[in-house]
């Protein structure tokens, strides 16, 4: 089991590692579930940001499990927010 290389590494090193290792798989994971490329990109970046913040507080022993647990939780949060707030109303603009 490998851990996220953070102790003694800079935030930039951690960000580079996370982007190289997880950005593609996360983007694919979100695109399959939300069907919106821009939202999938936003969710991917939010996961990576949350993982960086978590690594600052405690060591992450199993990065793959942790990253995708954060992704699943974020997707659940997104769904709850969508159900609570509903679809935004758009008013058509007449030309």
């Amino acid at each position: 089991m490998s851990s996220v290389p953070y102790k003694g590494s800079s935030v930039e090193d951690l960000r580079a590692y996370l982007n190289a290792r997880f950005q593609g798989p996360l983007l694919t994971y979100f695109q399959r579930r939300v069907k919106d490329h821009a939202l999938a990109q936003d969710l991917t970046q939010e996961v990576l940001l949350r993982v960086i913040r978590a690594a600052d507080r405690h060591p992450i022993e199993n990065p793959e499990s942790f990253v995708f647990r954060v992704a699943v939780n974020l997707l659940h949060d997104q769904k709850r927010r969508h159900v609570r707030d509903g679809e935004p109303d758009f008013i058509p603009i007449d030309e």
Side-chain angles (χ1 to χ4, degrees):
M1 228 186 266
S2 66
S3 64
V4 171
Y6 186 63
K7 292 296 181 193
S9 299
S10 70
V11 173
E12 289 303 316
D13 291 341
L14 178 60
R15 185 180 307 165
Y17 167 77
L18 291 172
N19 278 331
R21 173 65 184 91
F22 294 108
Q23 186 173 16
L26 282 170
L27 190 58
T28 299
Y29 172 81
F30 285 125
Q31 282 179 317
R32 288 182 178 164
R33 284 155 180 82
V34 299
K35 311 288 190 242
D36 178 343
H37 184 71
L39 179 57
Q41 288 177 319
D42 289 346
L43 293 170
T44 297
Q45 289 305 309
E46 181 64 26
V47 167
L48 297 177
L49 180 62
R50 289 182 184 194
V51 172
I52 289 169
R53 287 178 181 154
D56 201 27
R57 292 188 304 268
H58 55 80
I60 298 171
E61 295 302 322
N62 189 341
E64 188 150 322
S65 291
F66 186 78
V67 166
F68 281 95
R69 173 50 42 201
V70 171
V72 167
N73 290 343
L74 187 59
L75 204 55
H76 288 303
D77 292 346
Q78 179 74 17
K79 182 176 180 178
R80 279 192 293 270
R81 202 171 13 261
H82 179 75
V83 168
R84 181 190 68 216
D85 298 340
E87 287 287 328
D89 291 327
F90 295 102
I91 301 171
I93 298 175
D94 295 328
E95 293 182 11

